[in-house]
Amino acid sequence: MPGWPGFRVGEHLRARHGVPAAVDNDANLAALGEHTAQFGAEKHSITVKAGTAIGSGIIVDGRVHRGATGAAGDITHTRIDGSGDIPCSCGNTGCLETVASGASLVRQMHERGYSTVHTTEDVLALARDAHPDATTLVRTAGNHLGQALSGVVNFFNPHALFLTGSMSASEPFLAAVRSRVYEACHPLVTQTLRIEAARTGADAILQGAARLAMDGLELRAP
Ligand SMILES: [Zn+2]
């Protein structure tokens, strides 16, 4: 977020309002919400939020792993082989965001002459209707995401990989992620790995926010 690095949002809210405040990003909260619904306070998982943009949250032993500077899980700027040299919002080229995000699918549909496509949902609706170009693009996006995730999955060996966000409802997208991860990862890592659409759906972030707040206050759900 340009202009915000180093600004302590939680501390600012606490000082201003005199109450406890818990702050996190949407991907971490979605990961926490889905993981808690699936596993409670143990096990390891990665939740990828794939919609107009792509982000992910990492859960280790039931808790959010934020990394040294809070940037853990920021998978969208992973360089993808064969992605071309499309400029990314980060200033680099060839990032996952430029080939697998919903925004990139809209751009690619425009490049193919489909000027009536404006949103990620427009592309997904065409893919649901078995539109050849839309389906190919959605599948290719899943393949690229699977490529980026396979290194992470091999390294981290999670119990589950959950997908949330609008793209996760697309069967060709999910199938492409699955096949790429299973193909590229070591069998020891994939033998019990679950790769599924998140069952908390659009509520994942809200549920994660509630859990974070309760953990901060050392409350537990009954
Ligand atoms: Zn980038």
Side-chain angles (χ1 to χ4, degrees):
M1 293 173 65
W4 287 78
F7 184 76
R8 303 211 165 255
V9 181
E11 282 174 20
H12 178 77
L13 290 172
R14 270 191 291 279
R16 187 179 169 100
H17 298 289
V19 294
V23 174
D24 214 325
N25 69 43
D26 56 351
N28 283 348
L29 292 177
L32 188 58
E34 180 64 16
H35 184 97
T36 303
Q38 295 269 4
F39 296 130
E42 52 182 37
K43 298 195 176 178
H44 322 303
S45 71
I46 298 169
T47 297
V48 177
K49 190 167 173 285
T52 303
I54 300 172
S56 77
I58 303 164
I59 304 291
V60 182
D61 285 328
R63 304 190 77 84
V64 177
H65 172 74
R66 296 185 177 82
T69 57
D74 200 357
I75 195 173
T76 200
H77 301 295
T78 303
R79 185 161 174 93
I80 298 297
D81 291 342
S83 60
D85 279 324
I86 303 153
C88 179
S89 62
C90 71
N92 219 327
T93 60
C95 294
L96 182 65
E97 177 175 303
T98 67
V99 287
S101 65
S104 82
L105 295 185
V106 172
R107 190 202 70 237
Q108 293 175 79
M109 286 298 278
H110 283 181
E111 287 167 4
R112 284 164 174 73
Y114 300 103
S115 55
T116 57
V117 171
H118 299 296
T119 63
T120 306
E121 193 43 55
D122 292 343
V123 184
L124 294 172
L126 287 170
R128 271 198 298 279
D129 245 0
H131 184 284
D133 281 353
T135 308
T136 301
L137 287 177
V138 166
R139 246 190 220 125
T140 306
N143 192 30
H144 287 315
L145 178 59
Q147 183 189 332
L149 283 171
S150 55
V152 176
V153 167
N154 255 335
F155 185 78
F156 177 52
N157 188 197
H159 293 91
L161 179 57
F162 300 118
L163 283 102
T164 182
S166 57
M167 310 258 288
S168 67
S170 164
E171 198 45 52
F173 181 75
L174 192 59
V177 173
R178 265 197 199 111
S179 81
R180 187 64 192 249
V181 170
Y182 285 131
E183 175 198 311
C185 288
H186 192 281
L188 259 179
V189 168
T190 52
Q191 63 182 355
T192 61
L193 175 69
R194 293 164 50 194
I195 303 178
E196 297 166 13
R199 70 178 184 209
T200 49
D203 289 338
I205 296 171
L206 277 177
Q207 291 190 20
R211 161 86 196 276
L212 189 71
M214 289 195 297
D215 284 355
L217 296 169
E218 295 181 347
L219 297 173
R220 286 287 178 275

